[in-house]
Each structure stands twice: as C-alpha cells, then as structure tokens.
Amino acid sequence: MTSIAEAPENPLPVGRSRSRRGRGGVIGWLRANLFSSIPSTVISLLLIFLLAKACVSLLQWGYWNAIWSVPDNQTAACRAIRGLGACWAVIPEKFRFILFGTYPFDQQWRPAVATLTFVALFLVSSRRNW
C-alpha cells in the first residue's frame, strides 16, 4: 500500500489542454471535423453544395421572382407566374384570415388577447433579472 506522500498529485491521465485546441482556429476545426478523411470531405462538400443551391433557390423564389404588389388587388399577376415566385401582395389583403382563420369577426379579440398573454408571459419568464 502506498502512503499519501507517494501518491501522484493528479491521478487522472493528462489529455489535450483546451488552450492547445484553440491554436488551430477555424481552419483547424474545419480540417479536424469536416475534412478529416476523403469520405468526410466528399460528404461535406456535397452538403455545402446542396445548402448553397437551396439558399439560392429560396432567394430566387422569395425575393427576385416575387410579386410584391398588384394594382387594385388584382391577383392575376400572382397566378401568371405559376409558382416561380412568391406572391407577397396577398399578405396584407389576407392578413386577418392568416391570423384568425374562419373565427367569427366579432370574436377575434379573444385569440388576439390569448396570443398577447402568451407573448407577455414568455417575455416576463425569460428575463431572469425581473
């Protein structure tokens, strides 16, 4: 049996320190986690390509090819593009329907108050210093 004086100061094995991990920076992290082997590199590049393609397609549909306004609420322009772009012009016109659906008009204050109550409770409960 060893005495306390003979026991090592730190019995746990010494691993890589956190300061050494930070020396590689972003390039070191990318190389270690995304490009550490050939299959990992191929999969990472494929996913980066697919993500970039999806972002470009979303921007094309939602911004570049979108219809932002129509004269006199004529939605024929929205139907003419046939899904090639978003039709943001109907949002102000259908705003109440998007929020409340087919709920009776004279009773729409109820879901509005419930929604505002939930938002207020979320804001109050998310603040730790209040």
Side-chain angles (χ1 to χ4, degrees):
M1 181 146 174
T2 59
S3 67
I4 294 177
E6 296 173 7
E9 191 173 306
N10 186 2
L12 298 175
V14 179
R16 284 181 21 188
S17 67
R18 293 185 70 80
S19 63
R20 186 173 179 204
R21 182 177 166 202
R23 282 197 302 194
V26 174
I27 301 296
W29 183 89
L30 288 171
R31 189 172 290 156
N33 293 306
L34 299 179
F35 304 106
S36 60
S37 65
I38 292 176
S40 178
T41 300
V42 170
I43 290 171
S44 296
L45 291 175
L46 180 67
L47 289 175
I48 289 169
F49 171 75
L50 291 175
L51 185 64
K53 187 164 176 51
C55 288
V56 168
S57 296
L58 182 66
L59 279 173
Q60 246 178 345
W61 175 82
Y63 187 74
W64 293 318
N65 294 338
I67 304 291
W68 292 95
S69 63
V70 291
D72 300 325
N73 291 331
Q74 299 295 326
T75 59
C78 290
R79 284 188 224 102
I81 60 172
R82 298 195 182 272
L84 294 176
C87 185
W88 300 115
V90 298
I91 301 298
E93 180 184 338
K94 303 289 184 184
F95 187 68
R96 251 192 195 306
F97 182 72
I98 292 169
L99 285 180
F100 301 111
T102 58
Y103 208 80
F105 183 77
D106 59 338
Q107 297 294 316
Q108 288 181 359
W109 65 271
R110 291 179 177 193
V113 168
T115 303
L116 290 176
T117 302
F118 278 120
V119 169
L121 287 172
F122 172 74
L123 290 175
V124 169
S125 65
S126 67
R127 304 282 183 210
R128 291 183 183 225
N129 57 355
W130 284 2

